[in-house]
Amino acid sequence: MVKRIQGFTLIELMVTLAVLAIVLSIAVPGFQKQILNNKSLALGEEFAQALNFARSEAVKTKKRVSICASSDGETCTGNWSDGFIVFEDRATTDTEANITLGAVYKVWPKLSSAGAFSVKRNTTDTSFIRFTSLGTLAPINNETINASLKLTGCTGKAARKISVNLSGFVGVQADDC
């Protein structure tokens, strides 16, 4: 009796590869959108976490603590999308319009190159957010903070709108991309 060798023919392998290519060409764009949406969600949550960290450090240390845009992780320079730092703010009063950089508590590096990130005090762009030693938002002109994070290419409600009210509460809402 002769044993027959079992295996795939070249035609069967080619048909399998063709079907696999078709399935992947349909699935990959959907995965890319999902990845962008997840990145957008993560960026919003990361910034909200940074704000909550700054507020908790202000309460814990009983000092003014601020968060500002920082491209180098040491000074308050650059755009919010370049990264940001949380630091002890040695300003003389809670309402002072300028910051005085003290000890840096934590550094967040550049978030993403494909997104829009804006932080406003009411409708005016701001470069820092200050919390008082009580954990409240520093009353600079009694204005609230609104931040918006949107990644280019995200879909649906994957963007995040973050607000900080005068009591220091950080709120996060879903927003349209």
Side-chain angles (χ1 to χ4, degrees):
M1 199 157 89
V2 177
K3 280 191 164 179
R4 189 165 176 200
I5 299 174
Q6 298 290 321
F8 297 106
T9 65
L10 183 58
I11 293 173
E12 290 171 329
L13 287 174
M14 295 302 288
V15 169
T16 304
L17 287 176
V19 169
L20 182 64
I22 291 169
V23 169
L24 284 176
S25 68
I26 293 169
V28 168
F31 286 134
Q32 289 173 340
K33 285 183 183 178
Q34 185 64 38
I35 289 169
L36 280 173
N37 287 346
N38 287 343
K39 278 185 180 180
S40 186
L41 292 170
L43 292 177
E45 297 301 324
E46 187 77 17
F47 189 65
Q49 177 191 17
L51 289 168
N52 282 321
F53 174 78
R55 182 180 184 209
S56 68
E57 284 298 309
V59 172
K60 184 171 76 173
T61 61
K62 298 196 183 318
K63 297 178 181 177
R64 285 178 205 88
V65 174
S66 293
I67 181 171
C68 71
S70 178
S71 57
D72 60 6
E74 296 175 3
T75 60
C76 291
T77 57
N79 300 321
W80 287 99
S81 57
D82 293 335
F84 40 90
I85 58 175
V86 172
F87 61 94
E88 177 189 343
D89 191 344
R90 295 186 178 153
T92 54
T93 66
D94 290 341
T95 58
E96 191 173 318
N98 296 315
I99 53 175
T100 306
L101 195 67
V104 175
Y105 295 126
K106 194 166 181 182
V107 177
W108 277 263
K110 185 173 184 156
L111 298 177
S112 176
S113 58
F117 190 163
S118 69
V119 179
K120 296 181 183 294
R121 189 175 289 278
N122 280 354
T123 57
T124 308
D125 286 333
T126 186
S127 59
F128 74 96
I129 300 168
R130 179 183 295 138
F131 292 95
T132 68
S133 61
L134 298 174
T136 60
L137 184 64
I140 300 170
N141 301 326
N142 286 331
E143 297 171 328
T144 58
I145 297 292
N146 292 301
S148 175
L149 292 101
K150 295 183 181 183
L151 262 186
T152 306
C154 71
T155 59
K157 293 267 191 192
R160 287 293 175 255
K161 198 173 262 191
I162 299 165
S163 60
V164 183
N165 64 21
L166 292 175
S167 67
F169 176 76
V170 177
V172 180
Q173 289 180 278
D175 195 16
D176 291 324
C177 287

